[in-house]
Amino acid sequence: MSDDRRAVPPDDRAGGSAPIPMLWLLTIICGVTVGNLYYLQPLLDTIGREFDAGVGEAGSSLSAMHVGYALGLLLLLPLADVLRRRRLVVVLTVLTSAGLVIMTLAPNLAVLTGSAIAVGVTTVLVQVLVAYLAVLSGDRRGRVVGTLMTGMLTGVLLSRTVSGMLADLAGWRSVFAVAAILMLLSGVALHRALPNRPPDSTVPYLRLLGSLRTLIATQPVLRRRSLYGALCYGAFNAIWTSAAFLTAGEPYNWSETGIGLLGLAGLGGVLAAARVGRLADRGLQAPATITLLVLTLASFGLVYAGGVHVVPLLLGIVLMDFGIQGVHLLNQSEVYRLADQAPARLTTVYMTSYFVGGSAGTASGALAYQYGGWAGACAVAAAMIAVAVVLWLTDLLRRRRTEAAARRSAPATAGAAPRLPDSDAVGSH
């Protein structure tokens, strides 16, 4: 009992947002944890050569890790609504560390891929933390989610840099050994920092999984935002996976460190995107979303030119990361507004879709690069964003037709004020 009183921060009892020190601690841990999903990217060429595997085979290990993460989102994340979160995340950190140790010792690509799937499954703990703080944040949800996502997205990009540098210094296996140690330290920190709160729900596990279908069927905003997220993350991974192969060969011939440092190019875009969450708090989700999607689509012209020139490659990556991560922040802010009592399940639906799209982008990007070079990879990524733009515009036209039909069928009322869009329509795109 005394432990509970000591662990629960004052703001938590009041239903407000988490205190700043705790928020920043969890932001750092989110960045460290999500890095597990990306350490492989700059190492694909090196690992492929060690295990005598081709581009597609080496890329499949990263794709398999993202598939594992999607499975974890689907099967493990809903447990955060019915279990004590502190116990759940500590167990997941230990399991993640164990999987990283196996990756360190992997004797062949099959073992590496299998353990990568396991690491992907347990790395879902990062979404448990995001959903937890999103619910506590109230009216500051967009800003808090933006802070957490800054940590995560910084981890996504810096993980490539750290991975490349460690691989050059001590071999690629050292990357996963260091990651295993970081996860154990994170587990200790989470055990000390997180409140030992009771679960939000007592629904049985199988019924909990069944409720996911109900959420999908009854929440059109969730469906649309999940599609946008899947397409954007697919494009993101198609480019970043292919970039490892591009920069390892002509005309770049970069080392693992150089390939990893490419991740720093996107850091400026990520930090700028972190402020996009405030637009959601101001009700500007819809125009911000289409603007960012169009900007992302335009960025692929520069990314394509980066196949032979480094300057447009760097500029294109900055713009691409800004657009894609900005859309992701808007998506999550909208999804968490839908139901405070099912944060983990809402996250499950959105992030499962997100990483299924990411896995498809990783696999298709590697295959497109293998058969069509850098142009093929850019075409795959651009096509995904183009589909997202078309979906947004189609939904806009459908809603306008529906509203026009409703106005025509409604009885005329003399002196009636013009109808303003309600709060649900503000962020419906």
Side-chain angles (χ1 to χ4, degrees):
M1 185 70 175
S2 61
D3 179 59
D4 285 0
R5 287 196 298 268
R6 183 175 64 252
V8 179
D11 285 334
D12 189 30
R13 294 191 190 99
S17 60
I20 296 300
M22 179 180 174
L23 173 61
W24 282 108
L25 172 64
L26 296 184
T27 299
I28 292 170
I29 290 176
C30 283
V32 169
T33 303
V34 80
N36 296 327
L37 301 173
Y38 300 93
Y39 292 129
L40 271 171
Q41 276 189 344
L43 308 178
L44 292 176
D45 187 68
T46 300
I47 290 174
R49 282 187 276 108
E50 175 163 334
F51 292 135
D52 195 25
V55 170
E57 291 175 287
S60 69
S61 60
L62 181 60
S63 181
M65 178 175 275
H66 289 164
V67 169
Y69 190 71
L71 288 174
L73 290 166
L74 181 63
L75 300 176
L76 295 185
L77 184 56
L79 291 174
D81 284 340
V82 296
L83 297 178
R84 290 182 179 268
R85 289 183 178 89
R86 186 173 71 177
R87 182 182 304 167
L88 177 62
V89 298
V90 170
V91 169
L92 289 175
T93 56
V94 173
L95 293 176
T96 303
S97 183
L100 289 165
V101 169
I102 297 175
M103 291 184 72
T104 304
L105 304 174
N108 52 54
L109 188 60
V111 173
L112 180 73
T113 301
S115 53
I117 293 174
V119 170
V121 169
T122 55
T123 298
V124 73
L125 74 93
V126 73
Q127 295 301 330
V128 176
L129 298 176
V130 173
Y132 172 57
L133 279 191
V135 170
L136 294 182
S137 303
D139 293 339
R140 297 177 64 248
R141 183 178 289 112
R143 188 171 301 182
V144 169
V145 171
T147 300
L148 293 173
M149 291 304 298
T150 298
M152 290 177 63
L153 299 174
T154 301
V156 168
L157 296 174
L158 290 185
S159 62
R160 300 181 178 95
T161 303
V162 171
S163 177
M165 294 177 69
L166 279 177
D168 264 349
L169 290 172
W172 67 265
R173 295 178 187 273
S174 68
V175 175
F176 303 109
V178 170
I181 295 171
L182 289 176
M183 289 313 302
L184 288 178
L185 294 175
S186 296
V188 173
L190 288 170
H191 180 74
R192 295 176 64 88
L194 285 182
N196 193 22
R197 300 174 70 240
D200 293 333
S201 173
T202 57
V203 177
Y205 178 67
L206 292 179
R207 185 177 165 191
L208 198 69
L209 292 181
S211 70
L212 297 176
R213 184 170 58 182
T214 302
L215 281 175
I216 296 171
T218 60
Q219 300 291 345
V221 173
L222 176 62
R223 293 196 300 270
R224 285 191 291 273
R225 290 288 170 176
S226 296
L227 278 174
Y228 299 155
L231 291 165
C232 286
Y233 195 51
F236 179 88
N237 278 348
I239 292 299
W240 276 108
T241 299
S242 303
F245 299 113
L246 170 72
T247 51
E250 296 291 344
Y252 292 101
N253 296 313
W254 289 356
S255 66
E256 285 91 344
T257 297
I259 297 171
L261 286 172
L262 183 63
L264 294 178
L267 189 57
V270 165
L271 295 177
R275 303 184 69 84
V276 170
R278 302 188 181 192
L279 296 178
D281 293 338
R282 295 166 55 190
L284 300 174
Q285 304 92 309
T289 298
I290 189 59
T291 299
L292 291 170
L293 286 174
V294 172
L295 177 65
T296 303
L297 188 59
S299 74
F300 291 120
L302 287 170
V303 173
Y304 171 70
V308 291
H309 299 291
V310 69
V311 173
L313 178 65
L314 297 178
L315 292 175
I317 283 176
V318 170
L319 289 176
M320 179 191 74
D321 281 7
F322 171 68
I324 288 177
Q325 306 307 344
V327 172
H328 183 44
L329 286 176
L330 292 171
N331 288 344
Q332 288 201 299
S333 180
E334 282 300 279
V335 166
Y336 290 138
R337 293 176 194 275
L338 298 177
D340 284 349
Q341 297 306 312
R345 278 166 281 173
L346 288 168
T347 306
T348 292
V349 174
Y350 174 74
M351 291 303 300
T352 299
S353 174
Y354 190 73
F355 269 85
V356 167
S359 179
T362 298
S364 59
L367 287 174
Y369 186 85
Q370 183 172 359
Y371 294 105
W374 185 240
C378 291
V380 166
M384 290 181 175
I385 300 300
V387 171
V389 171
V390 170
L391 288 174
W392 193 96
L393 294 174
T394 300
D395 183 66
L396 175 65
L397 293 174
R398 180 186 63 80
R399 284 180 169 272
R400 286 185 173 176
R401 285 197 300 267
T402 301
E403 290 173 358
R407 285 195 298 269
R408 287 194 300 269
S409 61
T413 304
R419 181 180 181 273
L420 296 176
D422 56 29
S423 59
D424 180 64
V426 170
S428 59
H429 298 292

